[in-house]
Amino acid sequence: MLIKKTFSGQRFRAMLLTASISVCAEIANVFIDKIVAAQLLGEKALASISFFSPLFSFIFFLNALVAVGSLACYSIELGRMDRDRANRFFGQSILLSFVVGILMVVLFTFGKGFMFHFMHVDPELLQYVDEFYVWFLGIAFFMPLCNVLQEMIFADGDTRICNASYATLLIGNIVLSCLLCTRMGMSGIALGTLLSIVLSIAVLCLHFFRKNNSLRFVWHFKIADVGRTFRFSMAEACEYLYFSLLTALLNFYFVEHFAVEKLTVLSIVYEIVEVSVIFNGIWLAAEPLINIYRGERNGKGILQTMRFVNWALVKEGVFFTAFLVIFAPVMTHLFGIHSESLADETAFAIRACAVGLFPLALVKTYASYHVHELPLLSFVFISLVMFICPFAGVLGIHAFVGEQAMWSAFGVAPYVALGASVAIHLLIHGKRHFPLELEEFSIENYWFMHDMELTPKNLILYRNSISKLLTHRGVSGDVRIKAMLILEELGMVVYERNKGKKVFVEIDVNLKPDSLTMVIKDDGVLMDLTDFEQRVTDLRMYLVNMFMTVQEDKCYLLTSNYNRHVFRFDRNA
């Protein structure tokens, strides 16, 4: 089924750009700092920021531990039609962001001496590192709150505010860092980054004054729910933790074995590896949809959405690999590298990383997918692709082949990790339900799904089709007629309220021995047709109000900025 012809496909496409920007925003902020440092202060300033890569990765780890799991829990509860519990997870995420911010300030304040000693900061770079550290503590405090707000407002479907906040974050950092760097050096770059984060938070807070805001802060902090949040965050959070560990150990290894120039290349390699975070945006765009389906226990919806994920991974993987391979020499100049030999080595390293981007993204995506049902398998995937294979590859190729080929490890390692992940998955769970493991959904629940562009003709055709299905499945005549009338009249109200606009609808029907559930989702004008207080403007609206009066088991929930109506019937009534 084409992605442009389905409701979930349209929602996925609508969220994809914002999701991709979202996951890249913080990484891009560090990337901007490196470019400003390289262009305005030189190669040593660029090399000094590489010592902050493990610290930023640790910040990203704690950010993800709170934000990613909170988004997952929030959307799963929406799938279960429990708005109150969803808002409890939102409130808890805000509280946790402050706890994490304070924790990091304390840790980085009292652990500074130990970290510098462990990382063997070169005396030539110490002044630059000290200057950046002045405002780094403020960055560590505000970044978790910014990240949580971005994730939760994204889950609420407000892509406009999210995009405005990312623009403020990135453009603000470029302008402020350049201006302040000329006056304050490295500390000016750090201050520019801090101010851009604060401005981004201010923009995000505008969402709470918008009409379509459905987020409500509820004071909630429960250890069991915190544990659930952390569990659902584990795959993406461990990605940053392992990258933090990888960068720390590689920094130590390179300081011991190579000259400072190698650190410059390594710093750029870190940025290229971190570019793979853009693929996390594919999962982030799909995750609210998938978790809604998880809450509904709709395995067919999960399968359809994961097809869109695979399609996006292939397209983005081919594009970014080709882009980096072709423009690798240009990127060396972007980082201010003028030595011909060092530029050639850097271009080779960039191309090596580019070759491994697609398998790296594939393993990370399926690690995020499996964290809900198979957390141990998810942990193995992320351990292999983000730490074990690249670290062993760099040390192994350096020892047995030589330093000239060492950078190729970043291209080979993801393929090794992919092969090992597939082998372990098949060994533990077999090939019957590989790779999504949806057997519990298909056995216990089978959903009949239909997507369409909403027109009177398509609606009538589907109404007749679902009537035949219910008759074939032995649903009583009264229940069948009631369901068909609600479907037709609700669909026509949505169509008439959105005249001149293309609206996509997904209708899901679940049949159990004693009940029938019908879920109707649309991306049209937001409206709750179960609300008796809505103004009756025509005969069709009057009929819908009448049907809602006699239909007891019904529910409406604004979900990620789209309409979702749920009706349940006793199939033998």
Side-chain angles (χ1 to χ4, degrees):
M1 186 174 285
L2 294 174
I3 190 170
K4 295 181 181 180
K5 299 293 185 181
T6 63
F7 170 82
S8 57
Q10 289 288 341
R11 295 301 305 168
F12 175 70
R13 291 176 71 241
M15 304 288 268
L16 183 57
L17 176 61
T18 301
S20 298
I21 297 172
S22 171
V23 295
C24 290
E26 291 175 344
I27 303 296
N29 239 15
V30 180
F31 187 77
I32 288 167
D33 289 348
K34 289 190 174 184
I35 291 177
V36 173
Q39 294 294 330
L40 299 183
L41 300 176
E43 292 180 8
K44 289 184 179 179
L46 171 61
S48 70
I49 294 184
S50 69
F51 284 98
F52 285 91
S53 292
L55 305 187
F56 274 116
S57 292
F58 183 69
I59 293 173
F60 298 153
F61 161 70
L62 292 179
N63 287 355
L65 204 59
V66 175
V68 175
S70 296
L71 182 150
C73 292
Y74 176 83
S75 53
I76 287 173
E77 295 304 330
L78 288 183
R80 294 171 178 166
M81 305 299 290
D82 193 340
R83 166 66 69 183
D84 179 65
R85 185 153 170 77
N87 281 328
R88 289 178 184 274
F89 277 107
F90 169 64
Q92 181 178 266
S93 71
I94 300 297
L95 296 177
L96 282 173
S97 70
F98 281 106
V99 171
V100 167
I102 293 169
L103 175 66
M104 284 194 290
V105 169
V106 172
L107 182 65
F108 291 146
T109 298
F110 293 99
K112 178 182 176 182
F114 170 78
M115 288 186 294
F116 279 25
H117 175 73
F118 174 78
M119 290 188 291
H120 288 204
V121 178
D122 192 288
E124 296 180 40
L125 308 179
L126 188 59
Q127 180 184 347
Y128 291 114
V129 174
D130 275 330
E131 288 179 6
F132 194 89
Y133 212 91
V134 171
W135 298 103
F136 176 72
L137 297 177
I139 295 171
F141 177 76
F142 283 105
M143 199 176 274
L145 176 62
C146 185
N147 192 244
V148 163
L149 288 174
Q150 287 170 345
E151 295 271 351
M152 300 307 292
I153 291 170
F154 173 80
D156 205 33
D158 194 346
T159 54
R160 287 187 179 181
I161 287 291
C162 288
N163 289 335
S165 75
Y166 304 141
T168 302
L169 182 71
L170 300 178
I171 297 173
N173 192 20
I174 293 170
V175 174
L176 292 171
S177 292
C178 288
L179 289 175
L180 295 172
C181 179
T182 57
R183 297 174 179 271
M184 302 169 61
M186 283 291 285
S187 62
I189 296 176
L191 178 58
T193 304
L194 172 59
L195 293 176
S196 68
I197 292 171
V198 173
L199 289 172
S200 179
I201 291 172
V203 171
L204 288 164
C205 288
L206 295 176
H207 171 75
F208 300 106
F209 299 97
R210 289 170 68 94
K211 181 181 178 181
N212 294 336
N213 167 45
S214 64
L215 295 171
R216 300 290 183 271
F217 178 83
V218 177
W219 189 277
H220 178 73
F221 194 92
K222 188 176 179 182
I223 297 299
D225 287 340
V226 172
R228 187 179 174 210
T229 298
F230 288 173
R231 176 195 161 192
F232 287 166
S233 299
M234 196 52 63
E236 193 165 328
C238 281
E239 173 186 342
Y240 294 115
L241 181 64
Y242 278 131
F243 190 69
S244 177
L245 181 61
L246 178 69
T247 54
L249 291 176
L250 286 181
N251 282 349
F252 178 80
Y253 184 79
F254 272 61
V255 167
E256 292 292 314
H257 292 85
F258 306 109
V260 174
E261 287 75 17
K262 290 283 186 184
L263 277 173
T264 303
V265 180
L266 183 63
S267 177
I268 295 170
V269 165
Y270 291 158
E271 293 305 317
I272 302 304
V273 173
E274 286 183 322
V275 163
S276 68
V277 79
I278 196 170
F279 294 98
N280 294 7
I282 296 173
W283 172 251
L284 181 59
E287 187 175 20
L289 285 166
I290 287 176
N291 286 334
I292 295 296
Y293 289 130
R294 286 185 190 276
E296 295 172 346
R297 299 186 64 76
N298 184 347
K300 199 169 181 181
I302 295 173
L303 178 62
Q304 178 172 276
T305 307
M306 284 304 293
R307 287 173 179 158
F308 302 147
V309 169
N310 292 335
W311 166 85
L313 282 172
V314 171
K315 289 191 72 172
E316 287 195 12
V318 170
F319 172 79
F320 283 106
T321 298
F323 180 86
L324 290 173
V325 168
I326 293 168
F327 292 102
V330 177
M331 297 189 71
T332 63
H333 295 294
L334 185 65
F335 284 101
I337 296 176
H338 304 295
S339 167
E340 186 175 344
S341 60
L342 191 61
D344 290 341
E345 185 175 0
T346 303
F348 174 77
I350 291 172
R351 286 169 172 149
C353 293
V355 170
L357 279 181
F358 174 68
L360 175 62
L362 195 62
V363 175
K364 290 199 302 180
T365 298
Y366 277 84
S368 296
Y369 170 82
H370 284 301
V371 75
H372 298 82
E373 311 297 334
L374 303 170
L376 181 60
L377 186 67
S378 173
F379 181 75
V380 170
F381 283 9
I382 212 72
S383 300
L384 285 168
V385 80
M386 289 306 298
F387 179 69
I388 296 173
C389 291
F391 185 67
V394 170
L395 269 62
I397 291 178
H398 177 226
F400 295 105
V401 182
E403 66 178 70
Q404 294 302 319
M406 177 177 59
W407 305 112
S408 63
F410 291 98
V412 174
Y415 288 95
V416 176
L418 176 60
S421 298
V422 170
I424 292 170
H425 190 163
L426 292 173
L427 183 65
I428 297 175
H429 298 285
K431 63 180 181 180
R432 183 180 177 188
H433 299 289
F434 177 85
L436 298 180
E437 302 297 328
L438 289 174
E439 70 274 9
E440 67 168 301
F441 294 104
S442 59
I443 291 170
E444 297 177 7
N445 266 339
Y446 187 82
W447 286 79
F448 298 91
M449 291 180 62
H450 185 80
D451 289 276
M452 63 182 173
E453 181 183 339
L454 185 58
T455 64
K457 180 180 178 181
N458 288 343
L459 185 62
I460 297 303
L461 287 173
Y462 180 69
R463 182 205 64 185
N464 295 338
S465 173
I466 200 68
S467 178
K468 291 178 182 178
L469 169 68
L470 298 183
T471 302
H472 178 70
R473 293 292 176 132
V475 177
S476 67
D478 289 347
V479 172
R480 188 175 70 252
I481 291 171
K482 187 187 297 185
M484 293 307 96
L485 285 171
I486 288 177
L487 171 63
E488 180 180 346
E489 296 303 324
L490 187 148
M492 287 304 300
V493 169
V494 172
Y495 174 76
E496 290 173 358
R497 292 284 183 90
N498 291 274
K499 278 191 174 178
K501 178 185 176 184
K502 186 179 287 188
V503 175
F504 284 86
V505 176
E506 177 183 296
I507 303 167
D508 306 327
V509 176
N510 178 233
L511 290 168
K512 290 187 175 179
D514 58 348
S515 66
L516 159 67
T517 301
M518 183 167 63
V519 182
I520 304 173
K521 304 170 185 174
D522 72 83
D523 58 3
V525 174
L526 299 178
M527 54 182 172
D528 178 5
L529 294 178
T530 66
D531 183 4
F532 298 140
E533 297 183 3
Q534 283 205 95
R535 190 161 59 93
V536 176
T537 56
D538 52 35
L539 178 60
R540 177 153 277 129
M541 195 64 214
Y542 173 78
L543 289 172
V544 168
N545 264 12
M546 184 179 68
F547 293 144
M548 295 304 150
T549 302
V550 298
Q551 175 60 33
E552 294 182 1
D553 198 347
K554 60 185 178 295
C555 185
Y556 169 84
L557 198 63
L558 175 61
T559 305
S560 293
N561 211 33
Y562 65 82
N563 296 303
R564 184 160 158 258
H565 292 85
V566 180
F567 304 95
R568 293 185 179 88
F569 308 89
D570 180 351
R571 62 180 292 177
N572 299 313

